[in-house]
């Protein structure tokens, strides 16, 4: 059957004018407490099978020290779905640019229309990672913890140090980085063995491709938030450490594929079924022993992006 002109779909019709939102407007719209609650709810939705996520896309730009991730998904009941492009180019500082770049597309979940492009330059990714670090830190923290150790000195190191210290009311921050001067801007610059000997909680935030923290350095009772290993080939922890640790993973299958846990799984040190889901831990918090080493393996999930974007978009769309 042929369509006449009157029957042809009008592909040029625009139901809503797409908005391009600046980073300044995004920053002003973020409510930290609201966003953190939304991220926690998103992790619970994931373990309740109320969320769908596309397969993560990875691009590597080794010649420029960069990588790019593409994530997207939808949580049942939300009126929008989200697609995000986020990159980290670690040589950007020398160019006078931030290492994080990217944007988030907000799409109508009933019509597929693009409602907005949040031109955040990676800002939302950085914040949702930091806020998830806080959620994980609270979930696994040991009573009486006072000292935070930070491995790295980049954007995520700074954010994790500031957010975890503030939310967990820790007294002291120790920092190791390849550049001791940069480390000293975040806290007391120390060596890695000293950091492990003194810190109650450690957060790792580097793009390292080989283990930085040796199993022998880690004391019983240490809690570790592993953030840096979020793509194939990245690694910050000695795989042997996993043999004597409890592991909480943002998504067990993903962590076993390209998270910090992947190296231990491939070496046969642990199996996938040893990884607890962060969503399950947030839904029914377990009691960890004081001498238990607990690792939170955070590779980054689309549900985090959905949650923080929805939180911001709910405020922006009213403006």
């Amino acid at each position: 059957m042929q369509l006449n002109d009157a029957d042809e779909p009008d592909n040029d019709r625009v139901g809503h004018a797409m908005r391009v939102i600046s980073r300044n407007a995004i920053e002003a719209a973020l409510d930290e407490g609201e966003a953190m609650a939304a991220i926690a709810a998103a992790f619970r939705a994931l373990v309740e099978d109320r969320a769908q996520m596309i397969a993560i896309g990875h691009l590597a730009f080794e010649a420029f020290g960069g990588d790019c991730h593409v994530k997207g998904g939808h949580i049942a009941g939300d009126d929008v779905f989200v697609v995000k492009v986020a990159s980290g180019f670690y040589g950007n500082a020398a160019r006078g640019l931030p290492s994080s770049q990217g944007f988030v597309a907000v799409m109508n979940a009933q019509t597929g229309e693009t409602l907005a492009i949040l031109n955040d330059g990676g800002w939302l990714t950085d914040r949702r990672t930091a806020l998830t670090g806080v959620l994980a830190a609270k979930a696994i923290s040991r009573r009486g913890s006072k000292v935070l150790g930070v491995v790295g000195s980049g954007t995520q190191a700074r954010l994790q140090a500031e957010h975890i210290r503030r939310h967990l009311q820790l007294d002291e921050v120790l920092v190791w980085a390849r550049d001791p001067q940069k480390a000293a801007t975040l806290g007391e610059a120390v060596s890695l063995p000293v950091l492990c000997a003194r810190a109650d909680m450690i957060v790792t935030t580097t793009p390292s491709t080989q283990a930085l923290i040796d199993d022998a350095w880690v004391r019983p009772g240490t809690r570790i938030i592993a953030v840096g290993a979020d793509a194939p080939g990245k690694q910050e922890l000695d795989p042997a450490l996993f043999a004597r640790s409890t592991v909480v993973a943002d998504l067990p299958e993903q962590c076993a594929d390209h998270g910090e846990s992947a190296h231990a799984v491939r070496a046969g040190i642990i199996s996938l079924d040893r990884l607890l889901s962060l969503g399950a831990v947030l839904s029914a918090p377990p009691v960890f022993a004081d001498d238990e080493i607990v690792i939170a393996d955070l590779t980054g999930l689309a549900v985090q992006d959905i949650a923080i974007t929805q939180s911001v978009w709910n405020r922006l769309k009213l403006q």
Side-chain angles (χ1 to χ4, degrees):
M1 179 181 72
Q2 280 190 320
L3 293 175
N4 59 36
D5 288 345
D7 294 326
E8 288 181 359
D10 184 0
N11 291 326
D12 293 327
R13 185 183 66 82
V14 177
H16 299 278
M18 186 189 75
R19 298 172 61 184
V20 178
I21 311 292
S22 71
R23 174 169 162 172
N24 286 341
I26 295 166
E27 290 185 26
L30 179 68
D31 180 280
E32 188 175 285
E34 184 179 289
M36 198 180 309
I39 293 169
F43 274 109
R44 290 192 287 269
L46 184 61
V47 298
E48 294 166 3
D49 293 326
R50 293 188 293 107
Q52 57 177 321
M53 300 186 292
I54 63 174
I56 296 175
H58 293 288
L59 294 172
F61 301 93
E62 295 179 4
F64 304 101
D67 55 48
C68 177
H69 299 168
V70 180
K71 294 182 172 74
H74 178 250
I75 296 174
D78 284 359
D79 58 358
V80 298
F81 64 96
V82 168
V83 177
K84 181 194 76 169
V85 176
S87 63
F89 280 72
Y90 303 103
N92 276 3
R95 301 181 175 91
L97 297 170
S99 61
S100 296
Q101 300 290 335
F103 64 88
V104 183
V106 182
M107 320 284 284
N108 187 308
Q110 295 182 346
T111 68
E113 294 170 281
T114 305
L115 303 177
I117 298 294
L118 304 189
N119 193 23
D120 68 314
W123 190 85
L124 284 170
T125 296
D126 288 339
R127 265 63 193 178
R128 65 80 154 148
T129 303
L131 294 179
T132 304
V134 172
L135 289 171
K138 286 185 171 182
I140 69 172
S141 67
R142 176 168 49 82
R143 293 171 298 175
S145 294
K146 299 295 182 184
V147 181
L148 175 66
V150 178
V151 179
S153 60
T155 299
Q156 200 52 227
R158 174 176 54 81
L159 290 173
Q160 295 282 348
E162 190 273 322
H163 284 77
I164 292 177
R165 179 177 186 174
R166 172 160 52 86
H167 283 276
L168 274 69
Q169 299 183 325
L170 302 177
D171 296 335
E172 191 176 357
V173 177
L174 309 176
V175 186
W176 175 88
R178 298 188 191 280
D179 185 339
Q181 290 184 326
K182 289 183 179 179
T185 66
L186 303 182
E188 180 186 347
V190 296
S191 68
L192 279 172
V194 169
L195 183 148
C196 293
R198 292 173 52 188
D200 301 302
M201 176 172 288
I202 299 169
V203 57
T204 62
T205 67
T206 78
S208 175
T209 56
Q210 60 185 10
L212 299 173
I213 293 181
D214 191 276
D215 173 39
W217 299 342
V218 180
R219 296 176 297 131
T222 301
R223 307 304 205 240
I224 299 175
I225 313 297
V227 177
D230 61 351
K234 292 186 177 181
Q235 181 181 16
E236 297 179 287
L237 304 178
D238 182 349
L241 177 61
F242 284 76
R244 58 191 184 103
S245 301
T246 297
V247 185
V248 177
D250 53 8
L251 186 64
E253 295 83 359
Q254 181 167 298
C255 290
D257 177 70
H258 61 259
E260 198 66 62
S261 305
H263 304 281
V265 171
R266 281 195 288 271
I269 295 170
I270 60 170
S271 57
L272 175 60
D273 60 12
R274 279 272 308 277
L275 277 59
L276 305 177
S277 164
L278 177 58
V281 167
L282 292 174
S283 296
V287 177
F288 298 110
D290 285 348
D291 63 351
E292 198 168 352
I293 298 171
V294 185
I295 300 170
D297 191 356
L298 306 181
T299 49
L301 305 180
V303 290
Q304 298 163 253
D305 302 304
I306 297 166
I308 197 168
T309 300
Q310 180 79 289
S311 176
V312 168
W313 176 241
N314 284 342
R315 291 171 171 265
L316 288 170
K317 69 184 179 182
L318 299 176
Q319 297 176 5

